[in-house]
Amino acid sequence: MAGAAFGDGGDGKRAHLYEYRITGYFIFACVVAALGGSLFGYDLGVSGGVTSMDDFLKEFFPEVYRRKQANLKETDYCKYDNQVLTLFTSSLYFAALVSTFAASHVTRNKGRRASILVGSVSFFMGGIVNAFAKNIAMLIIGRILLGFGIGFGNQAVPLYLSEMAPAKIRGAVNQLFQLATCLGILIANFINYGTNKIHPWGWRLSLGLAIVPATFMFVGGLFLPETPNSLVEQGKLEEGRRVLEKVRGTKNVDAEFADLVDASNAAQAIKHPFRNLLKRKNRPQLIIGALGIPAFQQLTGNNSILFYAPVIFQSLGFGSGAALYSSTITSGALVVATLISMALVDKFGRRAFFLEASAEMIICNVAVAVTLALEFGQGVVLPKGIGVFLVIVIFIFVLAYGRSWGPLGWLVPSELFPLETRSAGQSMVVCVNMIFTALIAQCFLASLCHLRYGIFLLFAGLIVIMATFIFFLLPETKQVPIEEIHFLFENHWFWKRYVCSDDYEKPGQEL
């Protein structure tokens, strides 16, 4: 079957011997690390709101402002179609995809904690530059610094949470990253709603407040323990065991520590982790974790809605305040959805959430497309009832994404990679994710202008492909120890032809 079950037998399987208790030390470490998600979320939420503010547009994009005023109360798909304006959003993600490779080196050689600290400093500097920007060049420089921060944070935090968490609750713990992201989006929308009334510098406050989550992340990061996996990987065995005992709340960690040492020994033999990631035995992790899921997460279209929710609602004829309020509702849906996913993903599994939510998202995209095709036209005021219906459908779409592709897009890849390719694999995850994030951010408003309602049909078609990919190729990973995930692929109907349990590849299994 596509989702082969995890068994207890076989060499090297010690999961049944693992012990743990939830300790205050463990909770502190995971909560502080998860703050890295708030950097990503705050930027996702704040950028779309700022680009819809009149004061910001008048200062940097007067042409867009004049076009907006000319169609203030009318629907117009092309109201915000400006490539420099979208570059303000997408430049951050281009920077993040470049910085993640430097983050991989730091994460592997200096530890996950070091990358978290570097990311918080860079994000802090970006917030300062954006708050005092005098021209578009300063805006872009600030966005690049923010992107470096996100590149480091998104590379390290999902790994940190997955490595610190016991297998049975790894799904919920890893999704603290997504929860912090969603709370960052929600808070940013509330801030935009308030600063939109502060003239003419409210937008500066929205951008500058990015320093707040960066400060919390840096100060908390100073007190973070390194993960046992990383300490063992760096050869600090005694410290690694001491931290493992502390986060597990027990001295009986022999089995789990032995697995960490075995994984570390395998990792030490790998001098070129990126090259190793391309080997045949790592084909499942490469295809599913490094390429498929991070790309598909963006091709759902959800982040386009999050980036530009105020802009989209204004294009549909909502007023400025109503647009920001509507986008706050959708970001609230993300928080609720993440809490649902955290509570249930370790019970029902990753595959069930992916597949069920994908069906909902397809229906919602088709509903939006049909509604716009029938009721929406340039220069026509959208009826209030139709506007409310669109907000509700988008709310349901975001609710589905927020318990599936949103959190699981970070959780599942962080589970799949063996220790020897984990930092390199996570860099690929972030890189692919940011490539598609940047491309979608850069192209969405132009696509909305030219494809009109057809863009939602395009996203629906892509989600059909994604659900098919998950159904046939992703094994269920719930409650499987992170160092034993590779056994799933050895028993999978498709991937077993690529992987083997030996340390060396079988003859004839070259690239």
Side-chain angles (χ1 to χ4, degrees), residues 25 28-29 32 113 117 160 218-226:
Y25 185 73
F28 165 79
V32 170
R113 176 175 171 269
L117 291 172
Y160 187 96
F218 179 79
V219 174
L222 294 176
F223 300 96
L224 272 182
E226 187 53 81

Side-chain angles (χ1 to χ4, degrees), residues 63-81:
E63 179 184 344
V64 176
Y65 174 73
R66 287 192 294 269
R67 192 189 309 155
K68 173 185 172 182
Q69 293 302 114
N71 300 277
L72 192 60
K73 295 184 178 180
E74 297 177 347
T75 57
D76 181 5
Y77 281 111
C78 301
K79 198 181 294 186
Y80 290 91
D81 181 19

Side-chain angles (χ1 to χ4, degrees), residues 101 124 136 146 163 180 190 213 264 313 335 343 361 370 413 420 437:
F101 293 103
F124 182 96
I136 293 177
L146 292 170
E163 290 181 345
F190 278 119
S264 177
F313 288 126
V335 175
M361 294 161 69
V370 171
E420 63 263 28
T437 304

Side-chain angles (χ1 to χ4, degrees), residues 147-360:
F148 287 160
I150 287 177
F152 274 83
N154 287 17
Q155 209 276 345
V157 172
L159 288 187
Y160 187 96
L161 294 173
S162 286
E163 290 181 345
M164 292 294 275
K168 290 186 177 180
I169 58 170
R170 188 175 61 245
V173 171
N174 184 277
Q175 288 191 52
L176 287 171
F177 176 77
Q178 179 71 7
L179 179 62
T181 301
C182 296
L183 288 172
I185 295 169
L186 181 62
I187 291 169
N189 276 294
F190 278 119
I191 288 173
N192 282 340
Y193 187 73
T195 58
N196 189 45
K197 302 174 182 178
I198 303 174
H199 304 289
W201 52 270
W203 63 270
R204 294 187 183 274
L205 184 59
S206 284
L207 295 178
L209 285 175
I211 68 174
V212 175
T215 300
F216 280 125
M217 183 175 166
F218 179 79
V219 174
L222 294 176
F223 300 96
L224 272 182
E226 187 53 81
T227 70
N229 309 61
S230 180
L231 290 169
V232 171
E233 187 179 22
Q234 296 174 58
K236 303 175 181 178
L237 299 184
E238 291 184 8
E239 186 178 355
R241 183 181 178 100
R242 186 166 62 251
V243 172
L244 184 62
E245 290 175 354
K246 201 168 182 181
V247 295
R248 295 293 180 260
T250 177
K251 295 285 186 181
N252 190 12
V253 295
D254 292 344
E256 186 170 2
F257 188 72
D259 279 344
L260 296 185
V261 173
D262 288 348
S264 177
N265 291 336
Q268 295 303 317
I270 304 300
K271 302 301 181 185
H272 304 286
F274 283 99
R275 188 183 304 168
N276 186 263
L277 189 59
L278 299 176
K279 288 187 175 182
R280 183 183 177 91
K281 68 178 182 179
N282 292 320
R283 196 67 49 81
Q285 294 91 332
L286 176 66
I287 299 299
I288 300 174
L291 299 176
I293 290 178
F296 289 154
Q297 186 191 50
Q298 300 310 313
L299 293 175
T300 59
N302 184 78
N303 274 358
S304 301
I305 293 173
L306 295 179
F307 290 151
Y308 298 117
V311 170
I312 291 171
F313 288 126
Q314 282 196 25
S315 295
L316 297 179
F318 290 70
S320 179
L324 289 170
Y325 184 70
S326 299
S327 63
T328 301
I329 293 175
T330 58
S331 60
L334 271 182
V335 175
V336 173
T338 303
L339 292 173
I340 293 172
S341 189
M342 289 177 66
L344 300 176
V345 73
D346 286 315
K347 179 179 180 181
F348 293 107
R350 286 58 160 152
R351 284 168 47 83
F353 272 65
F354 271 129
L355 297 173
E356 180 273 330
S358 292
E360 283 188 48

